[in-house]
Amino acid sequence: GDDAVVPTYCFEIKEVIGMRFADHERLVGKKRRNELAAAETSLCYLTRGKFGEDQNDDGFIDTRWVELEELYDNCGKQNLNRALKAYRTAEKKAADEAIVGFEEDDE
């Protein structure tokens, strides 16, 4: 009955906190050592957001890897672009500051 596990999807992006081109857990043996074929890549974002069965589900907050297409389809282009812009800005700032710290440590 209602106890069956039902898949849930992201319908609201709170924050994007990471990105990957492939699921490392699916890459075994030779696939880990060699260049990936296009079919083995999947653009995903580590997303904190509201997840539910559908748009009419009040859902719950969670953080999980979500494929770009799901975010686009369920959250809309404008919300997706806003979240990705904020992520890219934060990622660049964090990386730039870390690199400056490494350079200061070398002096």
Side-chain angles (χ1 to χ4, degrees):
D2 273 356
D3 293 338
V5 175
V6 177
T8 55
Y9 307 94
C10 186
F11 288 97
E12 181 183 334
I13 303 168
K14 300 286 187 188
E15 180 181 26
V16 171
I17 56 176
M19 182 269 236
R20 69 180 186 199
F21 285 108
D23 182 351
H24 71 282
E25 293 176 1
R26 289 184 172 172
L27 302 177
V28 293
K30 189 166 57 170
K31 288 184 178 181
R32 290 178 80 105
R33 296 189 296 271
N34 297 322
E35 189 172 331
L36 291 177
E40 296 166 332
T41 64
S42 177
L43 190 54
C44 295
Y45 290 92
L46 188 56
T47 305
R48 190 172 70 80
K50 187 176 277 192
F51 293 80
E53 291 180 34
D54 57 40
Q55 294 274 7
N56 300 316
D57 186 348
D58 286 343
F60 53 93
I61 301 296
D62 196 4
T63 301
R64 53 172 90 158
W65 288 104
V66 184
E67 289 189 11
L68 180 63
E69 185 175 8
E70 178 180 329
L71 294 172
Y72 178 85
D73 288 346
N74 295 342
C75 302
K77 181 179 178 181
Q78 186 175 0
N79 292 327
L80 175 58
N81 282 337
R82 186 175 23 246
L84 293 180
K85 182 178 181 181
Y87 165 71
R88 290 176 184 131
T89 300
E91 187 273 338
K92 181 178 182 344
K93 182 176 187 281
D96 289 350
E97 289 173 356
I99 290 168
V100 167
F102 301 151
E103 291 169 342
E104 291 171 354
D105 290 346
D106 289 342
E107 292 176 3

